[in-house]
């Protein structure tokens, strides 16, 4: 059976690229670094920072203007604060009331909890319904990028290993490109870009900012900018980022391969590795293989959101 969101009750991505909804939907993909939103031809990003004020919860860049800002750290944080970030994005995107809302949760949590009456999927749906979004669909993060890839290449066959590298998570799914069904998938928590930065990058650049400690959002900015500003001096750290990223992605892919082998054995084969998420930009020029095709989606940070926008496809 195929449900309306294009994912069946087993988590399979059904009929990707062959059907298309023309209903305008509002898509929000909230992660531990930022929320990515898509509405029609427009898209944007809101930093995953928040701060309490006398007027309520302040989110995004405004939360960073004064002391006391916090950051999303756990799945529970993400679920609890999802409505505030969605409302902020909707105001920016000028989304009309009662527009269908499509959002994502980490694949591992979605699969484990989607059928539980008190699980995070049901809980988040109720929270968003109560905050003024009557039509909510929750999809598993990681599959949006697969959907986008197969929508653009509908004739693609063979197994596809999709790797969604986020700030705090790495989500991997092995998908049968012919049947559009998931063979296996899971989520590595605390294995995203933040781990790469804290364990591999920051120790290598400590001499550039000896007295600095960096918040999670600052780490994200640091990697995007490619330099450290310390006083009146600016230090290019692009080579240090490249070295750290190469070691990091080698470890992540090795661990993914180990998980696939442990669960699937000889069936853990794939012809294409599809990489997306914010961390994909780090490895665009350093990952290659003579054995399988490496595909990095354009605008990889928005891949899940753009794939979710194909809400019924």
């Amino acid at each position: 059976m195929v449900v309306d969101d294009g994912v069946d009750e087993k988590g399979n991505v059904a009929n990707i690229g062959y059907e298309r909804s023309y209903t305008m939907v509002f898509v929000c993909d909230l992660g531990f670094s930022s929320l990515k939103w898509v509405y029609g031809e427009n898209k944007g990003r809101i930093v995953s920072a928040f701060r309490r004020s006398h007027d309520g919860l302040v989110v995004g860049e405004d939360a960073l203007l004064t002391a006391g800002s916090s950051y999303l750290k756990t799945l529970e944080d993400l679920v609890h604060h999802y409505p505030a970030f969605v409302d902020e994005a909707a105001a920016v995107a000028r989304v009309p009331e009662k527009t269908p809302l499509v959002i994502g949760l980490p694949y591992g949590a979605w699969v484990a909890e989607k059928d539980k009456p008190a699980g995070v999927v049901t809980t988040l749906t109720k929270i968003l319904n109560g905050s003024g979004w009557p039509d909510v669909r929750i999809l598993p993060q990681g599959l949006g990028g697969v959907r986008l890839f197969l929508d653009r290449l509908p004739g693609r066959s063979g197994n596809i290993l999709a790797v969604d590298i986020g700030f705090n998570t790495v989500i991997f799914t092995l998908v049968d490109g012919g049947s559009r069904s998931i063979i296996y998938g899971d989520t590595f928590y605390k294995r995203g870009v933040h781990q790469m930065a804290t364990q591999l990058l920051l120790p290598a650049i400590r001499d550039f900012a000896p007295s600095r400690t960096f918040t999670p959002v600052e780490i994200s900015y640091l990697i995007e900018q490619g330099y450290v500003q310390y006083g009146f001096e600016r230090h290019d750290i692009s080579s240090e980022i490249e070295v750290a990223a190469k070691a990091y992605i080698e470890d992540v892919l090795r661990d993914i391969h180990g998980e696939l082998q442990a669960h699937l054995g000889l069936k853990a084969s794939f012809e294409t590795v599809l990489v997306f998420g914010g961390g994909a930009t780090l490895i665009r020029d350093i990952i290659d293989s003579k054995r399988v095709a490496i595909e990095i989606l354009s605008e990889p940070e928005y891949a899940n959101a753009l794939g979710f926008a194909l809400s019924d496809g």
Side-chain angles (χ1 to χ4, degrees):
M1 180 181 74
V2 177
V3 295
D4 288 342
D5 56 16
V7 180
D8 71 13
E9 68 270 24
K10 295 182 180 179
N12 295 332
V13 193
N15 298 326
I16 301 177
Y18 295 104
E19 299 176 23
R20 180 69 60 85
S21 169
Y22 290 94
T23 302
M24 182 80 88
V25 297
F26 180 44
V27 179
C28 287
D29 180 27
L30 179 59
F32 295 98
S33 173
S34 63
L35 175 144
K36 281 71 64 178
W37 62 264
V38 172
Y39 184 62
E41 298 297 320
N42 300 316
K43 59 182 181 294
R45 186 174 71 165
I46 297 175
V47 175
S48 297
F50 62 93
R51 174 175 52 83
R52 296 284 179 186
S53 76
H54 66 281
D55 293 324
L57 198 68
V58 179
V59 303
E61 297 281 354
D62 290 344
L64 302 175
L65 296 179
T66 60
S69 60
S70 299
Y71 312 94
L72 301 180
K73 303 177 184 70
T74 66
L75 180 64
E76 289 73 22
D77 283 344
L78 189 145
V79 170
H80 182 72
H81 295 299
Y82 225 126
F85 283 91
V86 169
D87 289 346
E88 178 70 14
V92 173
R94 299 181 180 179
V95 179
E97 292 184 0
K98 298 184 179 180
T99 296
L101 173 66
V102 181
I103 65 172
L105 281 177
Y107 176 81
W110 185 88
V111 169
E113 305 256 332
K114 65 185 178 65
D115 295 323
K116 294 182 179 179
V120 294
V121 175
T122 300
T123 299
L124 181 53
T125 301
K126 291 180 179 178
I127 290 174
L128 288 165
N129 289 158
S131 65
W133 298 94
D135 184 356
V136 176
R137 278 165 283 179
I138 300 179
L139 303 182
Q141 290 172 345
L143 296 190
V146 179
R147 171 177 290 179
L148 183 65
F149 177 68
L150 292 177
D151 181 75
R152 293 173 177 175
L153 296 169
R156 197 63 172 257
S157 60
N159 291 350
I160 299 166
L161 174 61
V163 183
D164 178 5
I165 304 175
F167 190 71
N168 195 42
T169 60
V170 174
I171 300 169
F172 66 95
T173 47
L174 184 62
V175 177
D176 183 323
S179 66
R180 274 58 175 171
S181 61
I182 296 174
I183 300 170
Y184 183 76
D186 207 347
T187 301
F188 291 157
Y189 291 96
K190 301 186 184 301
R191 291 296 310 276
V193 173
H194 184 261
Q195 183 206 38
M196 181 212 74
T198 55
Q199 295 185 4
L200 299 172
L201 177 60
L202 295 185
I205 63 172
R206 64 164 61 94
D207 292 341
F208 297 149
S211 63
R212 282 293 310 273
T213 57
F214 296 94
T215 67
V217 170
E218 287 177 326
I219 289 174
S220 181
Y221 282 150
L222 187 74
I223 293 172
E224 287 183 15
Q225 293 170 344
Y227 64 83
V228 175
Q229 182 86 32
Y230 189 63
F232 293 98
E233 297 183 358
R234 178 178 290 188
H235 304 280
D236 187 317
I237 60 170
S238 55
S239 61
E240 287 84 359
I241 292 174
E242 182 175 334
V243 170
K246 190 174 191 304
Y248 162 77
I249 194 61
E250 287 176 352
D251 287 345
V252 166
L253 292 179
R254 186 181 302 112
D255 288 347
I256 291 174
H257 182 261
E259 286 291 310
L260 293 176
Q261 287 291 323
H263 289 87
L264 301 175
L266 294 177
K267 294 182 179 179
S269 62
F270 45 88
E271 290 72 40
T272 302
V273 177
L274 179 64
V275 186
F276 51 96
T281 56
L282 294 174
I283 63 173
R284 186 181 298 277
D285 298 324
I286 64 174
I287 184 172
D288 57 46
S289 174
K290 295 182 176 62
R291 296 180 295 276
V292 297
I294 306 292
E295 301 278 357
I296 299 180
L297 291 173
S298 60
E299 297 186 291
E301 187 176 15
Y302 287 95
N304 266 315
L306 291 170
F308 289 163
L310 307 175
S311 59
D312 293 319

